[in-house]
Amino acid sequence: MAKQSDQVHAPLGGPIFTPMFFGLGLLVLVAGFFLFNRFFFGLASVTNLSDGYPWGIWIAIDLVVGTALGCAGYAIALLVYILNRGEYHPLVRPALLASLFGYALGGAAVMIDLGRYWQGYNMFLPWLSQYNSVMLETALCIAAYITVLMIEFSPVFLERLGMKNVRRKLDRVLFIFIGLGILLPTMHQSSMGTILVILGHQLSALWQTQLLPLLFLSSALFMGFAIVVFEAVLSSVGFRRPMEAYILNKLSTVMAWLLLGYLVLRLGDLIFRGDIVLAFDLGVDAVMFWIETVLHVIALVLLWPRKERASPQRMFVAASTMLAAGTVYRINCYLIGYHPGDGWSYFPTVGEIMVTVGIFSLEVMLYLIFVKKLPVLHTVERAYIEEHAAEARDQGSAPVGHAT
Amino acid sequence: MRTGPHGTRDVDDVDRIGDLDSYRGALGGLTRRDFLKYCTGIAATLGLAPEFGVRIANAATSGQRPSVIWISAQECTGCTEGLLRSYHPTLETLILDQISLDYHETLCAGAGHQAEAFREQAVEENWGSFLLVVDGAIPTKDDGIYCQIAGKTVLETVLRLAEGAGAILAMGSCAAWGGIPSSDPNPTGATAVHEILTDKTVVNIPGCPPNPYNFLSTVLHFVTFGALPALDSKNRPRFAYGRLIHENCERRPHFDAGRFAREFGDEGHRQGWCLYYLGCKGPETWANCPAIGFNDGGEGSWPVGTGHPCFGCTEQGVGFTKSIHSLAKLETVTPPTAFPRVEEEQGGAGTAAVALASGIVGAAVGAGAVLATRLGKHGPTPEQPPEGSS
Amino acid sequence: MQLNRRAFLKFAAVDGAVGAAAGGTALAAAETASAQGLQRDARAMPDDAVGLLYDSTLCIGCRACQAACKQVNGMPVDIPEVYEDWNADGTWDTAVDLSGDTLTVIQVYQHGTMAVKDRAEDGYAFVKRQCMHCTDASCISVCPVSAMTKDPVSGVVSHHPDRCIGCRYCVLACPFGVPRYEYDDPFGQIQKCQLCTNVEGQDIPACADVCPTGATLYGRTKDLQDEAERRLGMTAGEKHWFPRGALGDDRAPHEAPAAQYLNDVYGEEILGGTQCRMVSGVPFESLGYPEDVPDYSYASITEGIQHTLYKYFIAPAVLLAGLVYFAYKNARGHRPEEWD
């Protein structure tokens, strides 16, 4: 295996308080307003949650999709440390950072959504633990994973603070946390599928299957890879860095196979059970099923290994499609396919949407601060940046940060 | 001539009433105004517009009072007692001025052969037009020997008089459907009037006793319009028996709210809650008691009003048949639309939220497209792997 | 450069190992066409389990159960927005469904002209909702903090708000839509019927206590099943006596002609069985009770999957060991020299 000694991380630098930062901050404030209402006047004052749909987008998107987007760290760690593909190493830190935010804010969304949040700690009291609960396993797992992510990411702080000694010591045991950092998402990402198994007939047979854990796991994996590509492209454009196109291109092959495996499993299961016929019953379920499936297929076609190298454009579109596909799948499983009985309907309120937007905005804000102030991204030749910046000036492109 | 809000004429409009004032004696001590009120009340009971009160008044004072022959069979005289105690108007007004009660065993001035002879005379004079009223059930067993007047079975009398009657009224539950005498084991073969006169229309006015106004109103309808009021499938005047007691009951809101008296004298009973649990037969009994009360006893004066469950006296198969505390079968006339359906619409989407969500999805797709376009300018991917990779 | 064959196979193997922990067994189960491949054993109902028998044909829709339930549980009348114009001051309880303020509710099934009670075509029928007290309840299975418990003797499913974290997984998972949350309260809690075991001085559930016709009857589930079967054996139109309140108590029964029953007792087998049972003249499905569902509980499937994957934590431990080994082996190679 080749040495990776040339790869050193460094803060990106640059101003924190860009117009984009303030724009995102505004969205966070708006979310704060709705959260105030939620905590002082109850969930009903902000959300459309009902006894038919007790879980809304705060769970389906903020948590279930959010943590899947946070699987970047999981996917890359699996690739780099377990499959020993050292060439992906430059992607590890940004991926870990994305994971940390994805999970921490997903966890925060849960705390917002919890009706009796002040008793939330009961989850950690062993004498109250109910070991049959998939939710308990998932929640403890996510909590543990957030801790592991913080430890995995802590070298970044230690480097910044110059605590080389601690950093070295941590380094010797880090492999344990790396192992945990792969085990835990494997457990809870699959459990997020298992959570739905108990819904039985309440979840449309288009989505209800005992394979849900496997489907959620594989979907989390390819979403994790997709977010790595997505992020790499965004930061290369946003921060005017050279694109790790070579790496990304290789990644796409992994993703393609993974996606193919997922699709075979997903559709094979549907056909095997015979419930594929439901996809031809015109209705919201069928339409959403086809949107989901077509997005997956498009992503697969875009990613499919070919002789000529995929352009960054194609990579980006493929990764975005994949993210969209995984997102739609998760929303379908958690909201669209769920039928609590006729008469009930759910669509998020403006408040719910704005809280979700606020959480994602906060994620982007924190990401920008971290990469600018901490050694997250790996260093690149100064010359490239300057050359690229000059080029951008000539073309009159938008300033740094706007592209995101 | 003034016209009321619904095109009805004011009751005080006396244009067509004729010489009412000269008829003073016939008003039975009522003032002209009170008499008109009474007639209007009758019209209201019949479900007619107030203007018909005037027509009823005209008919009642026309001087051609209908001849009424009242035959009593197996009965307790309760129906007569009920009639005696009506005072809107008083009985004498009724029998002296509004109808010509030519034969009534309890009320006849004469007795014995005299009364029988008078009846025969009246029947003969009014053959084809007199009103035959029967109260009490007709015994049919053993050729009807269990009830005889003047040596003739009542069965025979009724059959004969029915031939010449202009209309036949079965007064009270016994006459209308058998009542107490027909209760199991029915030793006399007591039978309802309409079951004997199968080829005639018999107007049933069930009740034990029936409210005299239901009787009077039917009579005056016949007198005024020359025809019987609209009848239901059991030949009861619709105006009086068209609704379930349960529908108009003053305690109905308690039923709807699920509040029941469970025992006589308990908290619910004292609170005036629904008496269904105590065996009230209101839900399967068709009568207008909640609206006009029981036998002119005054407003709100009827069994349920005083805290006793309805007994179902007007209803065949209920009164005298079902045990007092057994529960009524709920007959629902109107479909139960006041209940939540099994699938009630709950939740929904706000327009602003839909717009916002669409906007976000649109913006994401748009931003992605813009970015993808810009990436297109990046040119081909470097062929060589970066240093340090295999 | 593509992933070479070896690398890909390796990837596939590891992914397979990871996947196997989560779903490999599930896949195997599905492919042997056995939906219950991973199912754990069914739970047995306690011998003295209690419940309610609801007879839709006896119900007159008076909602005394609803009123009494609210009274003993101290709950306010429910006034949905649609009824605000005529019931603003709350004279009536106009609950449309179970909610944080309503533990039992009477609803109506309507079809066509709604002329005849207990008839599916052009008829109507009443239906009562309350907790069915499942033998193997989903709400208990899903609750992470043991806030839903089942009494080992009576089998009553109770809720403990002092434990509850308000995640509402029980609301989501209950196949009968029973647990409800108080969304309009910043400190809301889950509400559900507990057969009045939570109410002081209420020997039998208030709904059964007040039901005038015995449409809601309380008793041991086994006795209720016998009673239900007795009713199914009745000839329609024949007069019969129907017990009121609790089976075996001394109050006078109600005499009524038997209705035309469907030959099925709801709750006997469905979803692992429920302690509350139901008989009716119209299909239960149209009364809003799921019929096209398995006889085993959903909890037995989920718990089967979970306990297979996480039995004694062997699979995760083995997986972790493997992962740590690879991480140890490979991470060294990636460590920047400057730190060594």
Side-chain angles (χ1 to χ4, degrees):
Chain A
M1 204 62 226
K3 290 273 178 199
Q4 304 293 315
S5 54
D6 54 332
Q7 291 182 0
V8 181
H9 302 87
L12 196 65
I16 297 276
F17 300 105
T18 56
M20 176 167 172
F21 182 88
F22 288 112
L24 292 170
L26 192 66
L27 291 174
V28 174
L29 284 181
V30 171
F33 163 76
F34 287 111
L35 286 182
F36 176 86
N37 281 333
R38 178 261 171 272
F39 283 111
F40 283 84
F41 302 105
L43 281 164
S45 67
V46 174
T47 68
N48 259 348
L49 295 178
S50 62
D51 287 316
Y53 287 88
W55 290 359
I57 58 167
W58 289 352
I59 295 295
I61 295 183
D62 299 16
L63 177 68
V64 179
V65 175
T67 56
L69 300 180
C71 278
Y74 170 46
I76 286 299
L78 188 67
L79 209 53
V80 172
Y81 295 112
I82 305 305
L83 300 173
N84 202 17
R85 312 303 298 178
E87 66 267 33
Y88 298 111
H89 201 270
L91 300 178
V92 169
R93 278 193 181 178
L96 279 179
L97 184 60
S99 292
L100 185 56
F101 289 142
Y103 272 86
L105 291 170
V110 170
M111 288 311 284
I112 293 166
D113 189 77
L114 275 191
R116 296 167 77 78
Y117 50 87
W118 65 92
Q119 294 188 157
Y121 65 84
N122 282 357
M123 194 81 97
F124 304 106
L125 304 181
W127 57 91
L128 288 183
S129 293
Q130 205 280 102
Y131 294 106
N132 292 325
S133 173
V134 188
M135 163 91 74
L136 179 77
E137 191 257 320
T138 313
L140 292 184
C141 212
I142 289 180
Y145 185 52
I146 293 174
T147 316
V148 167
L149 277 172
M150 287 196 278
I151 294 171
E152 282 188 293
F153 193 69
S154 62
V156 175
F157 290 97
L158 298 174
E159 275 172 37
R160 181 83 175 91
L161 298 170
M163 299 167 79
K164 291 191 180 182
N165 207 25
V166 185
R167 166 80 170 86
R168 237 193 309 274
K169 279 178 185 157
L170 177 67
D171 228 33
R172 300 200 199 291
V173 292
L174 201 56
F175 67 93
I176 296 174
F177 293 102
I178 290 170
L180 274 174
I182 295 167
L183 173 73
L184 293 172
T186 308
M187 285 167 67
H188 65 240
Q189 283 298 337
S190 60
S191 291
M192 278 192 200
T194 317
I195 277 183
L196 301 175
V197 171
I198 203 163
L199 300 187
H201 67 276
Q202 296 187 95
L203 181 60
S204 160
L206 279 174
W207 292 282
Q208 180 63 280
T209 161
Q210 291 187 50
L211 294 188
L212 270 168
L214 194 52
L215 290 172
F216 263 68
L217 181 68
S218 43
S219 135
L221 263 174
F222 71 66
M223 281 179 83
F225 285 125
I227 195 77
V228 170
V229 173
F230 185 79
E231 219 171 346
V233 173
L234 276 192
S235 54
S236 85
V237 172
F239 300 131
R240 307 200 182 294
R241 298 160 48 80
M243 193 160 330
E244 283 115 356
Y246 164 75
I247 297 179
L248 298 185
N249 213 344
K250 281 183 69 176
L251 211 50
S252 74
T253 313
V254 179
M255 285 154 67
W257 283 103
L258 203 52
L259 189 51
L260 181 67
Y262 166 86
L263 270 177
V264 167
L265 209 56
R266 172 94 174 91
L267 298 177
D269 170 56
L270 264 180
I271 293 164
F272 178 78
R273 283 186 289 123
D275 289 321
I276 188 77
V277 291
L278 292 176
F280 304 98
D281 283 350
L282 269 191
V284 179
D285 277 9
V287 169
M288 290 306 288
F289 169 80
W290 284 116
I291 291 177
E292 173 200 321
T293 307
V294 167
L295 281 172
H296 279 105
V297 171
I298 291 176
L300 182 60
V301 169
L302 287 172
L303 284 172
W304 196 247
R306 61 198 72 226
K307 282 224 172 80
E308 78 278 15
R309 216 61 57 248
S311 68
Q313 190 179 18
R314 179 193 275 271
M315 287 290 302
F316 176 75
V317 174
S320 310
T321 313
M322 220 160 178
L323 289 177
T327 302
V328 173
Y329 173 62
R330 274 148 202 271
I331 293 176
N332 280 351
C333 282
Y334 270 78
L335 286 176
I336 307 289
Y338 180 61
H339 301 295
D342 290 343
W344 293 102
S345 61
Y346 168 79
F347 195 87
T349 58
V350 172
E352 274 175 281
I353 297 173
M354 289 317 292
V355 168
T356 296
V357 168
I359 284 177
F360 280 90
S361 302
L362 186 62
E363 205 170 321
V364 176
M365 272 170 88
L366 291 174
Y367 186 86
L368 291 177
I369 297 175
F370 271 59
V371 296
K372 285 174 181 172
K373 291 293 171 199
L374 293 171
V376 175
L377 301 177
H378 72 140
T379 50
V380 290
E381 290 81 1
R382 177 172 296 275
Y384 179 89
I385 300 175
E386 282 169 358
E387 178 199 334
H388 199 74
E391 186 189 312
R393 261 197 310 279
D394 295 344
Q395 290 173 356
S397 323
V400 168
H402 265 204
T404 51
Chain B
M1 186 180 283
R2 284 171 297 156
T3 306
H6 303 294
T8 56
R9 272 152 299 200
D10 198 295
V11 179
D12 271 346
D13 183 354
V14 293
D15 291 354
R16 301 191 304 135
I17 297 188
D19 193 12
L20 241 185
D21 287 328
S22 70
Y23 203 74
R24 189 164 190 82
L27 295 180
L30 294 177
T31 64
R32 179 182 146 275
R33 192 180 174 81
D34 284 343
F35 182 70
L36 275 170
K37 270 189 183 166
Y38 156 67
C39 290
T40 311
I42 291 287
T45 308
L46 285 162
L48 302 173
E51 60 166 321
F52 285 101
V54 179
R55 281 181 73 180
I56 291 167
N58 274 323
T61 56
S62 65
Q64 294 149 3
R65 298 173 294 150
S67 170
V68 174
I69 308 293
W70 184 303
I71 301 294
S72 297
Q74 284 180 309
E75 47 88 44
C76 66
T77 321
C79 298
T80 304
E81 291 287 344
L83 204 59
L84 280 170
R85 271 149 191 79
S86 67
Y87 53 92
H88 292 98
T90 52
L91 181 74
E92 65 270 23
T93 313
L94 175 73
I95 61 176
L96 296 177
D97 303 328
Q98 289 169 15
I99 58 174
S100 171
L101 190 57
D102 292 334
Y103 180 79
H104 187 302
E105 282 145 18
T106 312
L107 304 176
C108 277
H113 292 295
Q114 192 186 10
E116 294 300 309
F118 188 72
R119 182 185 73 196
E120 288 311 311
Q121 185 193 333
V123 165
E124 207 166 301
E125 277 172 16
N126 299 295
W127 190 258
S129 69
F130 69 88
L131 212 59
L132 175 66
V133 180
V134 181
D135 76 325
I138 317 283
T140 53
K141 202 173 175 188
D142 303 329
D143 294 326
I145 57 167
Y146 299 109
C147 183
Q148 300 185 57
I149 308 243
K152 287 180 184 134
T153 65
V154 76
L155 175 65
E156 187 187 340
T157 309
V158 167
L159 281 171
R160 186 173 63 81
L161 292 183
E163 292 300 314
I168 306 162
L169 264 64
M171 177 74 173
S173 291
C174 301
W177 51 264
I180 296 179
S182 72
S183 292
D184 211 35
N186 193 2
T188 63
T191 308
V193 174
H194 67 90
E195 284 175 47
I196 290 164
L197 307 174
T198 46
D199 56 340
K200 299 244 176 346
T201 300
V202 178
V203 179
N204 288 323
I205 304 179
C208 193
N211 192 305
Y213 288 103
N214 292 341
F215 168 70
L216 280 175
S217 302
T218 308
V219 171
L220 286 175
H221 190 284
F222 181 69
V223 171
T224 306
F225 302 106
L228 293 169
L231 304 176
D232 69 6
S233 61
K234 291 178 178 168
N235 276 354
R236 301 176 295 197
R238 273 183 197 278
F239 70 83
Y241 300 91
R243 291 277 182 114
L244 283 169
I245 284 185
H246 190 54
E247 281 180 82
N248 287 336
C249 180
E250 65 229 30
R251 297 187 186 223
R252 175 63 188 266
H254 292 298
F255 178 90
D256 287 337
R259 293 189 285 256
F260 296 109
R262 305 280 303 279
E263 272 173 37
F264 286 102
D266 75 356
E267 179 62 19
H269 194 231
R270 276 178 283 163
Q271 293 285 343
W273 289 358
C274 176
L275 301 167
Y276 172 78
Y277 195 90
L278 294 174
C280 180
K281 304 297 188 295
E284 54 183 339
T285 301
W286 302 75
N288 53 358
C289 305
I292 67 171
F294 184 70
N295 287 309
D296 215 359
E299 201 171 328
S301 171
W302 63 299
V304 171
T306 61
H308 192 282
C310 165
F311 168 71
C313 69
T314 65
E315 209 61 36
Q316 182 168 17
V318 180
F320 314 114
T321 311
K322 272 193 162 184
S323 78
I324 288 181
H325 296 297
S326 75
L327 297 182
K329 177 181 183 295
L330 239 78
E331 289 197 23
T332 312
V333 213
T334 46
T337 46
F339 287 86
R341 289 166 297 147
V342 170
E343 296 144 0
E344 205 68 40
E345 303 296 320
Q346 294 179 85
T351 327
V354 176
L356 181 61
S358 325
I360 289 172
V361 173
V365 172
V370 169
L371 205 59
T373 320
R374 280 179 61 180
L375 282 174
K377 299 172 191 160
H378 270 245
T381 312
E383 283 296 322
Q384 290 304 311
E387 271 181 76
S389 300
S390 53
Chain C
M1 192 183 106
Q2 310 280 337
L3 274 183
N4 62 37
R5 188 176 151 277
R6 189 171 152 271
F8 175 73
L9 284 177
K10 196 171 158 196
F11 177 87
V14 174
D15 184 39
V18 170
T25 29
L27 181 61
E31 286 183 348
T32 51
S34 155
Q36 297 95 311
L38 294 173
Q39 195 173 11
R40 70 145 162 72
D41 291 339
R43 292 258 160 86
M45 194 175 69
D47 269 353
D48 287 324
V50 292
L52 299 169
L53 172 63
Y54 174 72
D55 188 332
S56 169
T57 70
L58 286 180
C59 181
I60 56 166
C62 68
R63 291 185 265 207
C65 46
Q66 212 173 312
C69 178
K70 295 217 156 173
Q71 200 187 356
V72 302
N73 284 290
M75 287 179 158
V77 298
D78 214 345
I79 312 164
E81 238 169 83
V82 283
Y83 297 133
E84 264 172 11
D85 50 342
W86 60 270
N87 193 25
D89 43 359
T91 305
W92 287 273
D93 180 23
T94 43
V96 297
D97 203 346
L98 298 180
S99 73
D101 290 336
T102 307
L103 303 185
T104 188
V105 68
I106 295 292
Q107 295 177 328
V108 71
Y109 157 79
Q110 303 169 324
H111 183 271
T113 60
M114 303 176 240
V116 179
K117 189 168 180 287
D118 302 317
R119 191 175 68 182
E121 284 285 314
D122 283 333
Y124 70 94
F126 292 112
V127 60
K128 180 175 186 281
R129 300 195 173 280
Q130 89 282 317
C131 177
M132 298 295 283
H133 296 277
C134 303
T135 304
D136 189 0
S138 292
C139 60
I140 297 176
S141 173
V142 299
C143 183
V145 291
S146 315
M148 290 284 186
T149 56
K150 191 171 183 69
D151 188 280
V153 177
S154 70
V156 172
V157 178
S158 299
H159 177 68
H160 307 277
D162 52 335
R163 296 178 178 176
C164 174
I165 58 170
C167 70
R168 307 186 297 282
Y169 192 9
C170 51
V171 183
L172 189 83
C174 176
F176 304 105
V178 170
R180 297 308 207 199
Y181 181 72
E182 298 166 340
Y183 297 89
D184 48 0
D185 183 345
F187 303 104
Q189 70 171 69
I190 296 285
Q191 297 284 5
K192 76 177 278 297
C193 157
Q194 305 179 45
L195 285 182
C196 283
T197 49
N198 54 321
V199 180
E200 195 114 350
Q202 193 70 42
D203 296 335
I204 71 169
C207 54
D209 194 18
V210 299
C211 181
T213 62
T216 303
L217 185 66
Y218 174 75
R220 283 175 74 229
T221 301
K222 287 179 177 166
D223 301 340
L224 292 175
Q225 176 69 23
D226 294 343
E227 171 67 16
E229 282 166 10
R230 180 180 79 95
R231 293 182 191 185
L232 298 193
M234 292 172 180
T235 309
E238 254 178 27
K239 282 207 165 183
H240 285 280
W241 292 99
F242 296 94
R244 297 194 279 185
L247 261 181
D249 75 0
D250 55 359
R251 68 180 88 188
H254 162 54
E255 189 185 26
Q260 185 67 54
Y261 288 101
L262 287 182
N263 193 25
D264 193 10
V265 181
Y266 192 84
E268 188 185 358
E269 285 169 346
I270 212 134
L271 293 173
T274 61
Q275 290 177 204
C276 291
R277 304 278 158 97
M278 184 161 58
V279 287
S280 157
V282 304
F284 301 112
E285 188 88 51
S286 46
L287 296 179
Y289 279 87
E291 279 197 279
D292 188 19
V293 288
D295 283 347
Y296 52 83
S297 70
Y298 292 136
S300 66
I301 297 287
T302 323
E303 290 180 21
I305 294 178
Q306 283 300 88
H307 291 309
T308 307
L309 298 181
Y310 295 107
K311 195 166 194 180
Y312 308 122
F313 245 68
I314 291 174
V318 170
L319 182 60
L320 179 64
L323 291 171
V324 167
Y325 168 73
F326 278 109
Y328 179 73
K329 192 167 146 257
N330 297 329
R332 271 201 315 196
H334 305 320
R335 206 173 300 146
E337 270 169 6
E338 56 177 300
W339 302 117
D340 287 327

